[in-house]
Amino acid sequence: MKKTDVRKKIGLWYFYDEEWVGGAYYIQNLVIAFNTLEDPLKPYIVLFSDPELFPAFKKITDYPYLMHSSEYDPPLAFYERAINKLTSIILKKRFIKKRKFEIDLQFPVYSQGVNPNGKPEYLHWIPDFQEHYLPEFFSKDEIERRATIQKTIAMQPGSKLLLSSQSAYKDYKNIYPNALTKNFIVPFAVSHPPYQQVDIEAVKRKHHVPSKYFISANQFWAHKNHRVIIQAIKILKDEGTEVCVVFTGKQNDWRNPAYFGELEAMVKQNNLDSNILFLGLIDRLEQLQLLKHAEAVIQSSKFEGWSTVIEDSKAMDQFVISSNIPVHLEQLKNNAIFFHPEDAFELANIIKSVNENRPAIIPNEYTENVKKYALDFLNILEN
């Protein structure tokens, strides 16, 4: 993207919902990524959010060109105010009107947008197509709702659509082969707050975490496939190998309210109380420290658009034991071992191997991923 004196203006919709904290992290990480660019390339960001969310967002991102939706009318210069004062006296009206930003792009948009040739352009986002592959995790109404939105977006000529992976793009083209959208594949990257300042030993004591452990950091949604991890730990325990796995994440699946209770019952029935720790939704800095100091991160999901926990792991040079779904194979190029998401015995063997002899880590140059993410996103404005 070429340098320009005209700073682009992007409107971002921001919500914080504990049922899907990944959505909030996505927008935070995007703005932090913009902050890695040279100043002329940094866009104005207008955050559309509840007013009470803005101060924390501003502190987290530390972004110099950030405004809230109610604050983005740029103030008049001194000479303009002076002219207005004079014309108000002489002509009884102000000569210079307050200017408003003309936002170039609004994101993320999950439904039909505006005329693609108008202002602002809408950038649609479909995080993944899970309901097409795992319909058992969705109600009929939810499947129909998502399908209606996706079809409306797909049939809008020239509308811009962001997809986070080649895997999601292939799904989109298979499901909607006649789609009329202009598609952009932009995998996201993450940026972390200074979690290293938190005392890991204090965190372990607080949450009763043993010195050696594995971790799974996912919302408690059924497709995240926590069961296969518990099954693998039971297999190891039965053969005399004691391993602890820490689970973090909101313990609620609105699509399957009984899910977490079933996992708790599974742990108790198999006498795994000392092997499985459910910590719930914990402080982000504490979670990141636990991720960093685990023997490995276990990502067992059956479906993803682009996994945040895998990006977290890559950013901190952590080893990942991952399900071998297409997007994970696309996302992880080193520091990983893969298993079939339905094969608890395969997972048990991998956990045992890593527990006995943790693989050497190949360092990532992850800061380049963050900068590329920002540049690739801005490139959407030019196309």
Side-chain angles (χ1 to χ4, degrees):
M1 185 176 175
K2 295 180 180 179
K3 290 184 179 180
T4 174
D5 293 331
V6 181
R7 201 177 295 278
K8 296 296 183 180
K9 304 163 188 78
I10 299 174
L12 295 177
W13 292 93
Y14 178 71
F15 306 92
Y16 187 89
D17 186 347
E18 289 187 352
E19 300 297 331
W20 186 41
V21 293
Y25 292 154
Y26 185 103
I27 300 301
Q28 293 173 13
N29 285 321
L30 176 59
V31 175
I32 294 170
F34 288 148
N35 221 4
T36 67
L37 301 176
E38 296 177 19
D39 188 79
L41 292 177
K42 294 178 180 178
Y44 285 113
I45 299 297
V46 178
L47 197 73
F48 299 107
S49 72
D50 291 336
E52 59 267 24
L53 295 177
F54 185 69
F57 188 93
K58 188 173 184 178
K59 182 178 180 181
I60 289 167
T61 59
D62 192 30
Y63 192 68
Y65 304 108
L66 177 68
M67 292 145 283
H68 192 256
S69 59
S70 62
E71 299 174 351
Y72 66 90
D73 294 344
L76 298 179
F78 173 78
Y79 75 91
E80 293 173 317
R81 296 197 302 274
I83 291 173
N84 272 349
K85 186 173 182 179
L86 183 63
T87 57
S88 294
I89 296 171
I90 299 174
L91 303 176
K92 307 302 182 185
K93 65 178 182 179
R94 295 185 177 189
F95 184 74
I96 299 174
K97 302 296 184 183
K98 197 172 185 182
R99 304 177 302 278
K100 285 182 177 286
F101 280 155
E102 188 178 65
I103 294 173
D104 297 297
L105 193 73
Q106 283 193 34
F107 173 82
V109 179
Y110 301 101
S111 57
Q112 182 178 5
V114 297
N115 181 343
N117 297 316
K119 288 285 186 177
E121 278 197 295
Y122 280 21
L123 176 59
H124 300 88
W125 184 34
I126 303 177
D128 62 53
F129 299 89
Q130 180 192 154
E131 69 280 0
H132 294 272
Y133 296 88
L134 300 173
E136 64 271 23
F137 295 146
F138 297 84
S139 68
K140 182 180 178 182
D141 288 346
E142 179 65 10
I143 291 173
E144 291 178 354
R145 186 188 72 83
R146 292 188 178 208
T148 298
I149 291 172
Q150 291 171 11
K151 289 174 185 176
T152 302
I153 293 172
M155 292 301 107
Q156 188 178 354
S159 181
K160 292 182 175 182
L161 172 64
L162 184 147
L163 298 161
S164 296
S165 65
Q166 291 288 344
S167 177
Y169 174 72
K170 289 177 183 177
D171 289 339
Y172 179 63
K173 297 300 288 184
N174 286 336
I175 297 166
Y176 303 107
N178 299 316
L180 304 175
T181 49
K182 191 169 187 178
N183 306 314
F184 299 87
I185 302 168
V186 183
F188 65 80
V190 301
S191 299
H192 289 153
Y195 65 90
Q196 300 91 341
Q197 297 175 7
V198 174
D199 183 352
I200 182 58
E201 295 306 322
V203 174
K204 288 180 182 178
R205 288 193 299 271
K206 176 180 176 180
H207 296 291
H208 308 290
V209 175
S211 59
K212 194 173 184 180
Y213 62 95
F214 291 76
I215 189 168
S216 172
N218 279 315
Q219 302 283 100
F220 278 84
W221 295 335
H223 76 276
K224 298 294 186 179
N225 198 23
H226 302 82
R227 278 193 178 89
V228 74
I229 301 176
I230 298 173
Q231 290 166 350
I233 299 307
K234 174 65 165 61
I235 291 167
L236 292 175
K237 190 178 185 74
D238 286 347
E239 69 174 40
T241 302
E242 295 287 344
V243 176
C244 178
V245 178
V246 172
F247 290 92
T248 69
K250 181 77 171 178
Q251 296 169 348
N252 179 54
D253 185 350
W254 59 269
R255 296 167 298 189
N256 187 353
Y259 178 63
F260 181 69
E262 292 168 357
L263 295 178
E264 285 186 308
M266 187 177 176
V267 169
K268 290 188 180 301
Q269 289 165 6
N270 291 286
N271 193 30
L272 297 176
D273 298 88
S274 62
N275 304 93
I276 302 295
L277 297 180
F278 294 125
L279 302 189
L281 189 63
I282 65 173
D283 178 82
R284 177 63 169 161
L285 298 180
E286 293 181 355
Q287 182 201 43
L288 290 171
Q289 271 290 54
L290 288 173
L291 281 168
K292 175 62 178 177
H293 289 87
E295 296 303 300
V297 173
I298 305 176
Q299 171 58 315
S300 54
S301 185
K302 294 182 178 182
F303 206 93
E304 293 286 327
W306 191 256
S307 171
T308 301
V309 71
I310 285 180
E311 288 304 307
D312 284 336
S313 303
K314 288 161 60 176
M316 58 177 58
D317 286 332
Q318 177 58 288
F319 195 81
V320 183
I321 301 171
S322 173
S323 57
N324 64 356
I325 60 176
V327 69
H328 289 168
L329 296 173
E330 176 185 345
Q331 198 172 357
L332 279 165
K333 300 305 180 186
N334 51 44
N335 300 329
I337 299 178
F338 297 94
F339 68 96
H340 191 285
E342 303 290 350
D343 193 336
F345 285 94
E346 183 182 20
L347 176 57
N349 287 332
I350 293 171
I351 292 173
K352 183 177 181 180
S353 174
V354 173
N355 192 53
E356 293 174 349
N357 186 19
R358 189 170 185 265
I361 294 292
I362 300 171
N364 288 300
E365 294 296 331
Y366 195 80
T367 53
E368 293 302 312
N369 296 37
V370 176
K371 189 170 185 177
K372 185 177 186 302
Y373 173 36
L375 291 172
D376 287 349
F377 192 97
L378 289 183
N379 187 55
I380 297 172
L381 288 163
E382 306 296 329
N383 292 280

